[in-house]
Amino acid sequence: MADARLRYLRQQIELGGPEVVTSRTSFPGPLEGKGPAKLHARPSWQKDAPGIPADGITVQPPVGVLDTAGLNELNLDGVAERIRTTFCCDLCPKRTNAVPGDGNPKARLVLIGEGPGATEDETGKPFVGAAGQLLDKILSAVDLERKDVFITNVVKCRPPQNRKPLPDEVASCIPYLHRQLALIKPKVILLLGGTAAEALLDKKQSLGQFRGKVHHYGSIPVVATYHPAALLRNPNWKKPAWDDVRIARQLLDQ
Ligand code: URA
């Protein structure tokens, strides 16, 4: 790119000018594209974004059960501390670190995955392995960063061999998620994969059936999409995932 054009775009970025496109990676196009951020004008995530789909399931956040568990007295740090210091199911004694969740306590967008993997178990942070790196790119493509969002999981301890958490493990751990959501009060929730969708929306059905609708958790809109690990396995899902993410992103701006 000519120096003058590059200078102009840099200046636009600094000034927030109309040609600014802050996405540092394109998704789903060159999502595979490795290497440093490229600085050139390209359409923003809004271009050709799908419309907001019809409403789907509505669930109400639980009342009572959190009182029983003593969670209603805890703030976000208190919830994290409780997760790190207690055992609520058979996954807990096997963990290296519990992974309560991480990010902005005032996030407008909360992302929910299934459960920690090996790297997350080692570090105590959510989505820091390969799936997490893809998630960072997805966020970046809709002009969001980790510091803007809160990322957590249905279960806070790693299931052996990364298997799907069992129903009783989900049932034991999910009160923490409900309390986190009650404290953060996000504007939008993005569910990453079928386990998160089934757990939060309290319904057993395929991810395909959850996708393409705007569900509600109380009054909070909820969008379900593919888990980033599934996108790594099946790149054909990147385009539909990109549409889902842009639906969630639009809801954030409403
Ligand atoms: N997969 C998840 O569902 N959560 C993580 O934190 C990492 C991988």
Side-chain angles (χ1 to χ4, degrees), residues 93 126 151 162 246:
I151 306 179
N162 299 342
R246 290 188 298 170

Side-chain angles (χ1 to χ4, degrees), residues 98-180:
V99 184
D102 195 32
N104 189 331
K106 297 198 173 117
R108 294 188 317 128
L109 177 65
V110 169
L111 296 95
I112 304 172
E114 178 174 296
T119 322
E120 292 76 21
D121 177 67
E122 268 163 38
T123 58
K125 300 266 185 218
F127 281 98
V128 286
Q133 283 162 29
L134 177 57
L135 187 59
D136 287 346
K137 289 182 180 176
I138 294 171
L139 288 172
S140 173
V142 286
D143 297 342
L144 292 171
E145 295 178 44
R146 276 198 182 226
K147 67 174 176 47
D148 302 320
V149 303
F150 191 89
I151 306 179
T152 188
N153 284 298
V154 172
V155 295
K156 315 299 191 194
C157 299
R158 184 190 181 198
Q161 280 80 49
N162 299 342
R163 67 155 167 74
K164 219 172 118 87
L166 302 173
D168 63 316
E169 293 161 353
V170 171
S172 304
C173 211
I174 203 160
Y176 295 126
L177 177 61
H178 290 303
R179 181 64 184 151
Q180 288 173 319

Side-chain angles (χ1 to χ4, degrees), residues 27 225-227 230-231 233-242:
F27 173 83
T225 192
Y226 295 95
H227 192 286
L231 299 181
R233 287 193 300 271
N234 190 342
N236 291 335
W237 290 337
K238 285 179 182 174
K239 169 70 175 83
W242 175 228

Side-chain angles (χ1 to χ4, degrees), residues 62-83:
V63 282
V65 60
L66 301 187
D67 274 333
T68 317
L71 292 178
N72 273 337
E73 295 139 35
L74 301 179
N75 63 18
L76 212 48
D77 287 342
V79 175
E81 184 63 13
R82 175 73 65 84
I83 292 168

Side-chain angles (χ1 to χ4, degrees), residues 156-223:
K156 315 299 191 194
C157 299
R158 184 190 181 198
Q161 280 80 49
N162 299 342
R163 67 155 167 74
K164 219 172 118 87
L166 302 173
D168 63 316
E169 293 161 353
V170 171
S172 304
C173 211
I174 203 160
Y176 295 126
L177 177 61
H178 290 303
R179 181 64 184 151
Q180 288 173 319
L181 292 171
L183 287 160
I184 298 168
K185 298 185 191 70
K187 185 163 182 202
V188 179
I189 296 171
L190 181 62
L191 302 173
L192 305 171
T195 302
E198 280 186 11
L200 195 78
L201 297 171
D202 198 20
K203 186 160 181 163
K204 208 164 166 36
Q205 61 179 24
S206 70
L207 179 65
Q209 290 170 298
F210 284 116
R211 287 190 55 250
K213 295 193 182 88
V214 177
H215 309 288
H216 286 85
Y217 177 81
S219 60
I220 304 172
V222 177
V223 174

